[in-house]
Amino acid sequence: MTDFKEFRAYITKMNALASVLEMIDWDNETLAPKESFKQTAVMSSALAGLYHQLISAPELVQMIEDLKKQELRADENAILRLVKKEIEHLREIPQEEYEEYNRLTSVAGSIWAEAKRNNEYSGFAKVLEQLIDLSKKFCKYRGAAGKKAYDLLLDDYEEGFTQKELDLFFDQLKESIVPLLKDIQTKGRKIDTSFLHQPYSVEKQREFCNWLAKYLGFDFDRGVIAESEHPFTTSFHNKNVRITNHFYEDNPMSAIFSLIHETGHALFEMNIADELTQTPAGTQMSMGIHESQSRFYENLLGRSKEFWIPLYGHLQETFPEQLGQVSLDDFADAINVVSADCIRTEADELTYPLHILVRYEIEKAFITEEIDTEKLPKIWNEKYQQYLGITPPDDTKGILQDIHWAGGSFGYFPSYALGSAFGAQMMAHMREVMDVDSILAAGDINVITRYLTAHIHRFGASKSSREILKDMTGEDFNPKYYVEYLENKYRKLYHI
Amino acid sequence: MTDFKEFRAYITKMNALASVLEMIDWDNETLAPKESFKQTAVMSSALAGLYHQLISAPELVQMIEDLKKQELRADENAILRLVKKEIEHLREIPQEEYEEYNRLTSVAGSIWAEAKRNNEYSGFAKVLEQLIDLSKKFCKYRGAAGKKAYDLLLDDYEEGFTQKELDLFFDQLKESIVPLLKDIQTKGRKIDTSFLHQPYSVEKQREFCNWLAKYLGFDFDRGVIAESEHPFTTSFHNKNVRITNHFYEDNPMSAIFSLIHETGHALFEMNIADELTQTPAGTQMSMGIHESQSRFYENLLGRSKEFWIPLYGHLQETFPEQLGQVSLDDFADAINVVSADCIRTEADELTYPLHILVRYEIEKAFITEEIDTEKLPKIWNEKYQQYLGITPPDDTKGILQDIHWAGGSFGYFPSYALGSAFGAQMMAHMREVMDVDSILAAGDINVITRYLTAHIHRFGASKSSREILKDMTGEDFNPKYYVEYLENKYRKLYHI
């Protein structure tokens, strides 16, 4: 008869493999030399094969059967449930094809980077097609084709969410945001942002970001901040959490808000309970809930005037020439300015979900139908024109801007918009139980983090996003909070 | 019937595990946050367990039996032989104990670092004892106890070398170097080194070291240089090679010669043939041959006047205040000054093997006999007095200075002295086939590296050190070249 300890030892091996695969990715993005990727991909592929071997071993299924008959603690049950889900996810996929897929995603990252650098989409189209085909094939192995395939992929990232529900969600956003954006563009007042677009020393940006990370509660004894092309967060366990940032001399807000965003992810990872870390319940969690936290810190907290009350003085001291004469009110307005631009990661809070909408519609299409990947840039540009009123000048600023598809992550993008909506619902609830604005103004952001930890972070992936929302706010997912929040905030800001 | 491709796919998995264990070590030494080590050790232990599982699987033995009957290429045979050796090394050790050992070595690194920081040997004594006991236990599993245990450990690092041979080797060194050192101390001329002990900007040291690495042939497209407490080299495959360095403001030669030393290792790793990399023949090679290369670059090349002819001008330009008035001759003398000091890694070329002698005698003693680890600092200090005429002021500068024992590496230290002796034998041969001094003076160090690649590097671990020496120099290992080299060089330098 299996005891939980034995099972735990087994999944510790699985988890170690999953974590070193993350470590390889981290290393590739932050440090690895440029000729290394192909051979390192051989390592990743081999390790993924070992992971597959462990997850599909009959002995694991037997252990789970044994344990299901026993009385377990809640955290143990959660781990068991997630391992079962992972088994169902992978066991129908032949190991060799899974290894090939992992080799491909590992190589695709550098192909994408080169295509982006050279603004040559065609260099990337082929590998993207291979990834889409493999992804569909895997869905088929798991019993899902066509419409059902995309549902399956969505469920991988966001348990219990379907295309049908997301179509409704995005329709609501479209109905509200597209006309709101038009109103802002035609009737809104002009907001001055010129002071944010001057030279800001990168060294001083770095210093300020480190100071800000500490203020936000990023624990440097349990985490690392490095630099990479595209900011991201990864975690090997709750005491080894990594974020990256990037710096542009003429756009300090890019680094500052990336830092706040990634720190939101990092706080989640650092605050996961010790019982759950190094298990499937301590990683691979709902992407929507994860994004709710990063976007909560970045937008709902970080773009409010109150957040900056205890911080703005230090920012002015760091950049006296650029900001010494700018009032906090003018600064707070400027960091919320709406501007329809091409790049998702640099987008303001209002247009952001429209960027996601474009990606959602495109990936839904190429997963559920047959679409020539060569045609995607055209579709991409048309949708940007339709929803944001702009056309990207080139593919680097268009379809090549994001790494996700190169990583085989189809069904991930919607989580960003869902995360924003989850966050708005959480914030509406929090405003009922505490005076968020006064807490921020007093420099007590840790009070907010503690509340989020108690209701969200500590559970890791042991609860689904719906459970988290229900238990925290007393209500199932409801997009109205998000739409209301955006309408109120931006009509007020633009005096319309 | 197994074909080699199938076998190769299997060992690719083993190798991926070995390489990510190296990557975790690299990350721990260069970047990981301080609270992470214990949980990361859980990962290392689990991965080592998987490695053990793969190496001791009956299916691997079967594959090897099958392949032995087939006609294979030389590189394939070498890989086969090394995998067999690795199987023999591990298969008698129970997997749980091997995992425990790996967990222990992973944790011991941070216990050692703390003990060293706080100068508290007692904090380290207990874990060292556990490591020694486990190491002896593993030797027993492999059929060796007492004297034979240390022979087995020596053979792990240096195939075909025994205690008996090393006793003879170290006796020769002792007989020659101890009196030579006394002569230098009592009758040698004074060499001025004061200009090397002034403030040298760390930023400029870093710049110069990067420039020097490029000159030496370190390929930044296939390698990375970072910083750590203790300089080291690691490699995940021949296109992903890593070295570290450390900087002291008042001692620029420490960083410069560490850089040359580690680059010697790195060139070896980068120049291993593509057929061998990512197999056991592309890693875990003879430590003596590896050290022969690092010490070849550091001492036999890097401390010669001719090496500095094309470089010294740039060093002077980088540090005009400190070196502008110092002649190349005075500089070349100063970087060869002999001084009996406590720290191995900072030791000059002549006293270096005496540092190794101390470690050799101590580890031989605690492996072949029962010695209370609490007593080791006393023994250490007595031997330093006996051979070098000095007593370390504290344990941080004494027994706690090196990480090796904390990593469970017993039997490794002798390779450093052997490596120096291999290098001297190689150099004696090279002086017969090319004009080494003129090549160095002309700035053509790549000519030398190409020769070393052809005769050493490209073979990785596919040949033993004895085979390498024999094939390259036409002679078995012969320590006389090393002793003669040291005698000639230092009697001339000190006018004795």
Side-chain angles (χ1 to χ4, degrees), chain B residues 238 267-274 276-277 281-282 285 457-458 460:
Chain B
N238 66 358
L267 290 172
F268 192 154
E269 294 284 350
M270 285 174 173
N271 291 329
I272 290 172
D274 284 341
L276 299 180
T277 195
M285 61 206 53
H457 303 173
R458 68 187 175 100

Side-chain angles (χ1 to χ4, degrees), chain B residues 7 43 91 182 196 269 317 336 349 391 396 411 440 460-461:
Chain B
F7 171 71
M43 284 165 58
R91 73 168 158 207
K182 284 249 162 69
L196 294 180
E269 294 284 350
E317 278 160 29
N336 283 292
E349 188 182 11
T391 297
T396 293
L440 284 176

